[in-house]
Structures are given as structure tokens and as C-alpha cells.
Amino acid sequence: MDVILFLIFAIVAVVCAINVVVQTHPISSAVSLIGVMGSLAILYLLLGAEFIAAAQVIVYAGAVMVLFVFVIMLLNAGAEVRRGRSLMVQLLGIPLLISFLGLVAWFVERIYPPTARVQFGGFTGGTPRAIGQALFTTYLLPFEVTSILILIAILGAIVLARKEID
Amino acid sequence: MMSAVPVYWFLMLSAVLFALGVAGFLFRRNIITVFMSIELMLNAVNLSFVTFSYQLKQVNGHLFTFFVMVVAAAEAAVGLAIILTVFKNRSTLNIDEVNSLKN
């Protein structure tokens, strides 16, 4: 059951991610990216990360992607014009990516033997209670720094969107 | 135990998503799509963090994922404001045409 669930949503995630890369129109890429984020939320649930799954749907698939779609609509972004790339990119791009992937796969296979397995309900420490406890004790300083980061980001966004630069 | 998923499948999925994000970041020419590829890479790394958290039976990975999400949200706000400003001044979204630092 877990394997079937994992396979379905892993395939959905990979197909949507390929779609993000190959689609020419930004709005198609954005909708595919929402598909990736939704299926990743299901996989987080499988790994026992309830709070992170909820935050993924609310923050990523909700807030961030709405912002993306809003900007695409606002700028009336059209389809991307395909132009010839340099010969080196055409020849080396895909083989380099595949070799990078193969290297990572080799390391992962060496480090994690197939006996290490994930089962639904195998880890129940991802509840909001446990996360809140860790957030306000061990990670209190990063949490406070994060609030300053968000304040700076809001100020930066307002200043950038308002000012005319010539 | 036959119904359980091997841990390295999750890590492999994360690697595949990250590689696709790198491909989009390098090959695409639309500035918004490049930005979305960065989000894809951040998501792939988040999946790795949560998987390690499961494997080690600790909650720390979830906290890292939470902070990555917060930083990604802040980054999206600032980045899209920069894209708006670039479009206002240049009337283009093609990253090849934004090259005034080059000459």
C-alpha cells in the first residue's frame, strides 16, 4: 500500500517537474509546479511530517504560487521564444545532468542499504506540538532572526516595487 | 515489511527533482521560469531533510524544512518585486536581454 502510494505520487511529481522545465508558457510551468508541491505534501504525510505537509500546501502551493501566477498575469508574460543554443550546451547539457544524477544515486545507494525502509506511522514526532516545542526551545534564536528577515523582505519588496530606477 | 518503501527511493526522487530544477535554471530564458526552477530545487532539498528526519527519528529536519519555507517565501516576495522593476524599466522578461552590466 505504501509502495503504491509512493509510486503514484513520485511519478506525478517527476512528470510535473519535467513539465515545469519543458513548457514554453510560464503559466503552464506554474500550474505544473503546483502539482509537484501537492504530491510532495502527500509524501511528507507518508514520512510522518504532518505539520510540514500542511505548511507545504498553505505556504508553497497557496501563498507563493498565487504570487507567481499573479505576477505572470500582471506582466502578461507570453510564451518563451526558443533560440539556438551554443553547441557546447546542446552536446554537454543532458549528459552532464545524467552523470550528476548517477553520482548522487551511487552515493545514496552506498549510504542507505535497501533494508532501511519507510512505513506509514513509523515516525510520529512531526506533530505541531513537537515542532512547536523544538521551535520555541532549541531553535528560538533562528526563529527570532527569521522574523527580522521577513520584515526586511517586506520593506525591500515595497521599496523595489515603488521606486523608479533609471 | 514488503509494503514498506526503501528510504533511498525518497532520496532518489529528491535527486531527480533537484536535477530537473538545475536543468530548468540553466536552460530556460524566461526570468519567471528560472525563478520557479529555484523553487523546485528548494522543494527537492526539503524532501531530503524530511527523509533524513524520518531515518534518524528526530524532529530537527522538519525545523530546517520550516526555515527553508520561510526563506523561500521571503525570497519569492523580493524576487518578484525585482522582476516587476526589471520589466518596468526594460519591458522584457528574457534574461539574455538584461545584460547592461556586460559592456
Side-chain angles (χ1 to χ4, degrees):
Chain A
M1 186 60 194
D2 290 1
V3 177
I4 298 168
L5 211 64
F6 173 84
L7 282 179
I8 290 172
F9 286 101
I11 289 168
V12 169
V14 171
V15 168
C16 284
I18 291 172
N19 217 21
V20 170
V21 178
V22 299
Q23 286 285 345
T24 51
H25 204 284
I27 204 84
S28 318
S29 294
V31 173
S32 307
L33 194 56
I34 293 173
V36 176
M37 287 163 176
S39 37
L40 280 187
I42 305 284
L43 294 181
Y44 291 160
L45 278 181
L46 199 62
L47 287 165
E50 301 141 30
F51 178 76
I52 296 299
Q56 169 94 356
V57 172
I58 295 168
V59 175
Y60 260 133
V64 172
M65 290 319 291
V66 164
L67 207 60
F68 269 101
V69 173
F70 178 74
V71 168
I72 293 169
M73 296 290 184
L74 186 69
L75 299 185
N76 196 14
E80 184 180 324
V81 187
R82 297 254 155 161
R83 264 187 305 186
R85 318 215 176 287
S86 66
L87 193 69
M88 204 175 79
V89 170
Q90 281 178 349
L91 286 180
L92 287 180
I94 303 294
L96 268 180
L97 267 179
I98 290 174
S99 54
F100 165 73
L101 203 58
L103 203 68
V104 173
W106 185 72
F107 272 120
V108 164
E109 182 110 46
R110 285 287 300 275
I111 294 167
Y112 281 101
T115 47
R117 279 168 186 270
V118 172
Q119 208 161 18
F120 183 64
F123 173 60
T124 50
T127 54
R129 182 192 176 87
I131 296 212
Q133 224 150 32
L135 200 58
F136 289 106
T137 53
T138 323
Y139 291 95
L140 186 60
L141 183 64
F143 182 72
E144 297 293 348
V145 173
T146 300
S147 62
I148 297 172
L149 174 80
I150 291 182
L151 186 66
I152 295 169
I154 293 170
L155 289 178
I158 292 172
V159 169
L160 274 172
R162 196 181 48 123
K163 211 163 81 180
E164 294 281 338
I165 302 168
D166 18 52
Chain B
M1 272 313 260
M2 269 320 284
S3 69
V5 190
V7 166
Y8 73 88
W9 286 13
F10 281 94
L11 298 174
M12 282 304 303
L13 175 66
S14 168
V16 169
L17 291 181
F18 191 87
L20 284 166
V22 172
F25 181 76
L26 293 177
F27 294 156
R28 297 304 301 269
R29 288 288 162 269
N30 189 318
I31 190 166
I32 296 175
T33 317
V34 169
F35 210 59
M36 282 193 278
S37 303
I38 297 174
E39 298 289 331
L40 187 60
M41 285 192 270
L42 287 172
N43 268 284
V45 173
N46 280 351
L47 182 63
S48 278
F49 272 133
V50 175
T51 310
F52 289 136
S53 192
Y54 180 95
Q55 174 69 15
L56 300 172
K57 300 280 187 280
Q58 285 178 354
V59 81
N60 296 355
H62 295 187
L63 270 301
F64 283 125
T65 306
F66 182 71
F67 286 125
V68 169
M69 275 182 192
V70 171
V71 171
E75 176 220 337
V78 176
L80 289 171
I82 291 173
I83 291 175
L84 276 179
T85 314
V86 166
F87 189 79
K88 233 182 335 191
N89 288 304
R90 298 298 190 91
S91 313
T92 182
L93 288 174
N94 192 327
I95 55 173
D96 284 339
E97 290 170 30
V98 185
N99 57 358
S100 51
L101 279 181
K102 214 173 178 179
N103 357 354

